[in-house]
Amino acid sequence: MALNDKLKDVVLTRLAEMHKDNPQLKMMVDGDLEGTKNVIESFGDLQVDKPYKVRFMFHSTIGYGYDFETESEGGKSPKEIYEHAVDATRQFTEAGMSHVEHLVDSGVEEERYGWYTTKFP
């Protein structure tokens, strides 16, 4: 159980959508989004678990989530941290840098949860 279950669910949903065409996962869960989320949660790794931030790794992909309505350490707003992280990751991706995460997708849900997904090239 994560410290912020809704935030973890947002990230798992995005990772599941990212992997929906994976043939092995399709075979296991027959394309079911909830089943895919369950497999990712079972075999993935919740690496950061804070009320305002989660980081979930599954194979070479990583999902990040930020809850804009909670407080972070250090006094910076989670929204500012999210925006900076997405911008920096986008710059690495556009520069074609190797050995760093590349941005796959990002967005905001319910005007509260910022998320982005990355993968290693």
Side-chain angles (χ1 to χ4, degrees):
M1 182 167 235
L3 293 175
N4 188 330
D5 283 328
K6 174 61 177 167
L7 183 59
K8 182 184 81 171
D9 186 64
V10 166
V11 171
L12 286 173
T13 299
R14 292 305 170 175
L15 286 171
E17 289 173 353
M18 190 175 171
H19 289 280
K20 69 182 177 192
D21 294 325
N22 178 311
Q24 294 164 330
L25 286 176
K26 271 183 152 177
M27 237 173 44
M28 291 173 69
V29 297
D30 197 30
D32 176 62
L33 184 64
E34 287 302 313
T36 303
K37 285 168 44 177
N38 290 335
V39 170
I40 290 171
E41 184 172 18
S42 295
F43 292 101
D45 184 22
L46 181 61
Q47 297 178 324
V48 175
D49 184 17
K50 299 182 179 192
Y52 75 96
K53 178 183 179 182
V54 297
R55 179 181 196 262
F56 204 94
M57 186 164 194
F58 180 69
H59 297 290
S60 64
T61 59
I62 303 170
Y64 293 88
Y66 294 83
D67 185 341
F68 302 156
E69 294 184 9
T70 59
E71 291 185 32
S72 70
E73 301 123 1
K76 205 171 195 183
S77 83
K79 187 172 184 177
E80 287 178 67
I81 296 168
Y82 163 77
E83 289 170 346
H84 175 75
V86 170
D87 185 50
T89 307
R90 181 175 285 118
Q91 289 179 31
F92 294 147
T93 304
E94 290 171 356
M97 296 179 73
S98 58
H99 306 296
V100 295
E101 298 171 45
H102 284 200
L103 186 67
V104 174
D105 201 3
S106 65
V108 175
E109 291 189 19
E110 302 172 23
E111 297 181 24
R112 177 176 177 170
Y113 303 102
W115 60 267
Y116 69 101
T117 53
T118 66
K119 67 178 179 177
F120 286 97

